[in-house]
Amino acid sequence: QSWQDRIDGEVEAASRLPVPLLVKWQIDIQHRVVDDWWKMADFLVMKYNDQRINHPNVGAATGYPQWYADMVGFSHDVHPLWVQPASQPVVEVKDYQPPLYPLPKVWDYASATWSFEPASTILSSSSSSSNTSPEGASILMLQSLLTLVALGAGVVLGRSYEQRRQGGGDTYLRLSASA
């Protein structure tokens, strides 16, 4: 019997109770529900303990459904098996319904949309057009300029460091005077 049915059976009699007894009835129902939930928690721990199903039979393996294991080529071979999408299932799947409409297969993160074409095809078709945006060209020019400035600064700093280091003489101390 479900909790809703139990409460529905008791609520008519409880509605005629004085307020202190009604409060006691409500608290009693809350305690009974909590106790029932703890019994269910204990049952679930017992049933699925040690990664096995222990109810109604003790120690039954969970495993994959046979149709799924057949479809992905499951076997006792330890070598990896790479699964590829198929247009139709390779084994008989109960209640399989073929798709009525094709679904897009490629997600484009830049535009946050699904597409039927791979991104490389979309990019190559857009880059082959002669209409390049002026914003894209100016960003590319700015990146190139900053890269050249950073490279020049690195060369200048490196040369000045080398000149200071050579001017200071040998930085290693000799171990003996005879060497």
Side-chain angles (χ1 to χ4, degrees):
Q1 184 178 6
S2 75
W3 271 106
Q4 188 63 50
D5 294 336
R6 289 181 201 171
I7 293 171
D8 289 344
E10 297 176 16
V11 75
E12 188 175 329
S15 65
R16 290 186 229 113
L17 293 173
V19 173
L21 291 176
L22 181 63
V23 169
K24 184 179 180 300
W25 174 76
Q26 290 177 333
I27 293 173
D28 181 54
I29 283 196
Q30 292 171 1
H31 285 294
R32 287 188 287 163
V33 168
V34 168
D35 290 342
D36 203 38
W37 276 89
W38 278 111
K39 287 177 189 171
M40 185 181 74
D42 291 340
F43 174 78
L44 290 175
V45 168
M46 177 276 307
K47 182 175 181 179
Y48 297 107
N49 192 20
D50 298 328
Q51 299 179 352
R52 300 279 182 183
I53 298 177
N54 296 312
H55 186 271
N57 301 326
V58 175
T62 52
Y64 292 111
Q66 188 62 43
W67 66 266
Y68 179 80
D70 292 340
M71 186 169 61
V72 298
F74 178 78
S75 68
H76 294 288
D77 188 5
V78 297
H79 297 93
L81 177 69
W82 304 106
V83 179
Q84 297 294 322
S87 59
Q88 297 291 323
V90 292
V91 295
E92 189 65 31
V93 177
K94 183 182 175 190
D95 298 329
Y96 171 74
Q97 295 291 324
L100 298 176
Y101 304 101
L103 296 175
K105 298 190 181 333
V106 179
W107 174 254
D108 182 23
Y109 287 98
S111 63
T113 58
W114 285 94
S115 173
F116 288 98
E117 293 183 42
S120 60
T121 308
I122 295 170
L123 290 176
S124 65
S125 65
S126 66
S127 64
S128 63
S129 65
S130 60
N131 296 338
T132 57
S133 67
E135 295 88 18
S138 63
I139 290 174
L140 183 63
M141 290 291 287
L142 180 62
Q143 285 179 336
S144 301
L145 179 65
L146 289 175
T147 301
L148 288 174
V149 167
L151 181 66
V155 168
V156 168
L157 288 174
R159 287 190 176 217
S160 66
Y161 172 75
E162 287 295 324
Q163 287 175 355
R164 276 187 277 137
R165 195 180 89 175
Q166 288 177 357
D170 193 7
T171 58
Y172 291 104
L173 296 176
R174 297 183 183 226
L175 293 177
S176 67
S178 63

